[in-house]
Amino acid sequence: MTQPLYLKAYGKVNLGLDVIRRREDGYHEVRMIMQTVKLYDRIILERNHSGRITLRTNLPYLPVNEKNLVYRAIDIIRREYGITDGVSASIIKRIPVAAGMAGGSTDAAAAFVGMNQLFALNITQEKLMEYGVSLGADIPYCIMRGTALSEGIGEILTPLPPVPSCWFLIVKPGFSMSTKFVYEHLTLDAQTKHPDIDGMIDALNRQDLTGVTDRLGNVLEQVTKQHFPAIDELKAIMLQNGALGSLMSGSGPTVFGIFTSREQAEQAARACRKHPAVRQTSVVRPFNKTVHTKSAAHHAYM
């Protein structure tokens, strides 16, 4: 037995999400600007002599077998490196489930990083990201974290300068959206309003927060808000309460706003909580990587 390893699995939002086209293989080609935020799940890993993987969660409806991405991430590393020791894992969820924040993907990313540490395997980040993409397109980004341009089906990643200092209000309504459903019902035509991804990259390079918030855009909103008008209503509440910009993240239904002060974000959170659809609010900072050493990458998970 060893000491348990405690890891923070941070969620993400999309500052910009553009869908270029539907590919022949059924996947969609995207250009997205991803941002890690300091809303996190806690992953606890412990090695033992059982020879098995055991999984526990604080949410009774989450699977605790091979249907769970954390279980599968642990299993991949055990098989690849001939590990016979058992691993017990606990997932304490705080990131909303099925909400466009990569909650399952970031938990799996933390499991890959944690297994690397727990068994002192010295796997490079690049190799961990290769294992990650075999389970899901968002997992390599969740291993890398920070601010990044995501292309292809989400697996081609380019680090970007960090988002300038700000606060995020993250609001999860009490309904969920299937990513598969949203993409299946997405129409790309001459009327599609595409976000200015290149302009946002330029604003990040100039560290111009307003330049970023003026360009927030997500082509998937057109599908989700047809079914849930609360998305537009929550965006309006945030803008009325001082948000520089507001957007739905991923396929939704989570909505976020960007603020210059915590006080404004908290005020907007109080206003949003009066909306009958709202189930969860969080005011958090963005997670930005300041150093790129291997040890820093490990400590960032603690």
Side-chain angles (χ1 to χ4, degrees):
M1 298 286 286
T2 58
Q3 287 292 102
L5 191 60
Y6 293 83
L7 303 125
K8 291 177 182 176
Y10 290 108
K12 65 85 185 162
V13 295
N14 300 90
L15 301 177
L17 194 163
D18 196 10
V19 180
I20 311 302
R21 66 185 182 96
R22 182 185 168 94
R23 306 194 323 183
E24 290 70 30
D25 60 9
Y27 284 100
H28 286 78
E29 202 162 294
V30 296
R31 286 191 89 216
M32 307 185 288
I33 295 184
M34 317 273 265
Q35 176 61 52
T36 311
V37 292
K38 289 187 175 180
L39 176 61
Y40 61 87
D41 294 340
R42 177 67 84 179
I43 309 296
I44 306 165
L45 299 180
E46 194 167 7
R47 61 193 288 184
N48 56 52
H49 300 304
S50 71
R52 295 180 297 113
I53 301 169
T54 54
L55 196 55
R56 292 179 299 173
T57 80
N58 63 327
L59 298 180
Y61 52 84
L62 290 182
V64 290
N65 53 20
E66 58 278 352
K67 291 181 179 175
N68 191 296
L69 289 176
V70 167
Y71 186 106
R72 290 166 68 188
I74 293 168
D75 190 47
I76 284 172
I77 298 300
R78 285 181 79 238
R79 289 173 187 273
E80 285 286 322
Y81 294 87
I83 294 167
T84 54
D85 277 5
V87 177
S88 65
S90 298
I91 306 170
I92 301 158
K93 292 293 295 179
R94 292 174 66 215
I95 299 168
V97 176
M101 292 192 69
S105 295
T106 194
D107 293 348
F112 279 119
V113 171
M115 286 294 288
N116 194 20
Q117 290 177 240
L118 200 61
F119 292 93
L121 300 172
N122 293 313
I123 309 169
T124 64
Q125 186 179 76
E126 290 70 26
K127 188 66 180 172
L128 287 176
M129 288 163 72
E130 277 180 39
Y131 292 134
V133 80
S134 70
L135 290 187
D138 276 346
I139 296 175
Y141 166 73
C142 292
I143 290 171
M144 187 178 89
R145 307 194 298 187
T147 313
L149 173 66
S150 169
E151 297 176 286
I153 60 167
E155 85 288 11
I156 303 167
L157 297 165
T158 307
L160 294 172
V163 69
S165 179
C166 61
W167 289 87
F168 283 80
L169 166 60
I170 296 165
V171 174
K172 167 65 167 68
F175 45 83
S176 296
M177 253 341 254
S178 154
T179 301
K180 186 171 181 285
F181 176 90
V182 174
Y183 274 102
E184 282 175 353
H185 290 79
L186 176 66
T187 303
L188 296 173
D189 56 27
Q191 276 68 54
T192 303
K193 189 171 184 294
H194 294 276
D196 181 9
I197 299 292
D198 291 328
M200 188 178 284
I201 293 169
D202 181 56
L204 287 166
N205 282 322
R206 291 184 284 106
Q207 288 295 282
D208 174 7
L209 182 60
T210 307
V212 172
T213 56
D214 285 350
R215 292 173 173 83
L216 296 179
N218 179 350
V219 297
L220 301 182
E221 268 192 354
Q222 61 175 279
V223 179
T224 307
K225 69 186 185 184
Q226 281 177 6
H227 298 271
F228 299 113
I231 287 166
D232 271 344
E233 293 161 11
L234 291 170
K235 287 172 65 179
I237 292 169
M238 291 188 196
L239 293 170
Q240 288 158 13
N241 284 273
L244 295 177
S246 181
L247 192 67
M248 183 185 83
S249 184
S251 55
T254 295
V255 176
F256 68 90
I258 299 178
F259 299 80
T260 53
S261 74
R262 180 172 193 156
E263 291 71 29
Q264 278 184 314
E266 296 281 9
Q267 176 188 316
R270 288 190 292 272
C272 286
R273 282 195 287 270
K274 294 174 184 173
H275 192 290
V278 170
R279 292 293 173 274
Q280 183 178 342
T281 64
S282 304
V283 173
V284 293
R285 284 280 204 183
F287 172 91
N288 289 323
K289 298 189 293 185
T290 51
V291 283
H292 296 274
T293 65
K294 187 178 289 188
S295 63
H298 283 180
H299 289 310
Y301 274 88
M302 302 307 175

